[in-house]
Amino acid sequence: MQISEATWERLLALRLGHEGLAGVDAAFGLYGPIAGARGQFVLAQVGQSLDGRIATPAGDARDVSGRDGLAHLHRCRALVDAVIVGVGTVKADDPKLSVRMVKGPAPVRVVVDCHGDLDGRESLFRDGGAPVVVIRSSTARGRLFPGADVVSLPPKANGLDPQDILDALAQRNLLRVLVEGGARTIARFIEAGLVDRLHVAISPIIIGSGPSGIILPPVERLTGAHRPVTDVYNLGSDILFDCRLERDRGSARQGKDVCVAQQA
């Protein structure tokens, strides 16, 4: 799927609230719901191999997605207010979480660090990039990082509540959120019924073994499996499945008591 500079400019304008800019081409079908979202909107993104792997057993994940898959991810980052990753992803990949492959604003970078494992040597604290928010349990002992916003949330029975995380971001006017990694972090938000769209980008590579892209509780029969309405896009180097999940928007909604850090 080719995206012209003019189309991308219109999508960026739509992100800023300029209505009446929607188009009818494939780019608007894919990116329009993100750019045009008003209120809280959660997108989860997974880049994986043909056999459903996101990394080697040793943790090498840098070349799973092709160049077009990476450009897609950077477009998604440019259209949201904040991008969430678990501490395991930061420890394994030391990501910049930038938009260097596309034109657009860089999102606030959010790291869920339940137990205060970050030590300040991670690149995102020192690269001069977008602001950083660190979310940890109020019972955790951790460092304060110059220039970073450290948010302490009360743990529930099994850890932090994904809804509490989204609420803390909403208080900072960070409403459009990309949950980028790792697999367990994405799964926690899906389990809690808090994801509007799930993007699964598949690259033509076979890894053979390693962690899976999404890890959810097992179902006994396929009738219990998620079957979202899905559109398929040819990005070029990768094939993208744009899945519409049924998010629970009840006002009394509380996400499941899960810890969304430690293992990405």
Side-chain angles (χ1 to χ4, degrees), residues 157-241:
N158 297 311
L160 298 182
D161 185 334
Q163 182 65 67
D164 288 346
I165 295 172
L166 294 179
D167 290 344
L169 297 181
Q171 291 173 6
R172 291 156 175 79
N173 202 33
L174 304 173
L175 298 176
R176 282 173 295 203
V177 176
L178 168 61
V179 184
E180 185 173 320
R184 294 182 185 275
T185 300
I186 291 171
R188 299 306 189 259
F189 279 85
I190 294 176
E191 286 180 64
L194 297 174
V195 176
D196 295 283
R197 293 287 182 109
L198 170 65
H199 285 184
V200 180
I202 299 179
S203 177
I205 179 175
I206 298 174
I207 299 176
S209 60
S212 300
I214 302 174
I215 303 172
L216 293 171
V219 296
E220 183 175 349
R221 301 180 65 84
L222 288 178
T223 53
H226 291 270
R227 294 183 184 274
V229 176
T230 302
D231 294 317
V232 182
Y233 295 87
N234 183 353
L235 299 179
S237 64
D238 301 58
I239 299 297
L240 181 78
F241 291 80

Side-chain angles (χ1 to χ4, degrees), residues 46-65 88-89 91-93 180-184 201 203 205-215 263-264:
V46 177
Q48 65 183 44
S49 64
L50 285 172
D51 53 345
R53 310 295 181 177
I54 58 172
T56 67
D60 181 9
R62 292 188 179 274
D63 296 319
V64 169
S65 294
T89 293
K91 289 293 188 181
D93 300 337
E180 185 173 320
R184 294 182 185 275
S203 177
I205 179 175
I206 298 174
I207 299 176
S209 60
S212 300
I214 302 174
I215 303 172
Q263 297 185 39

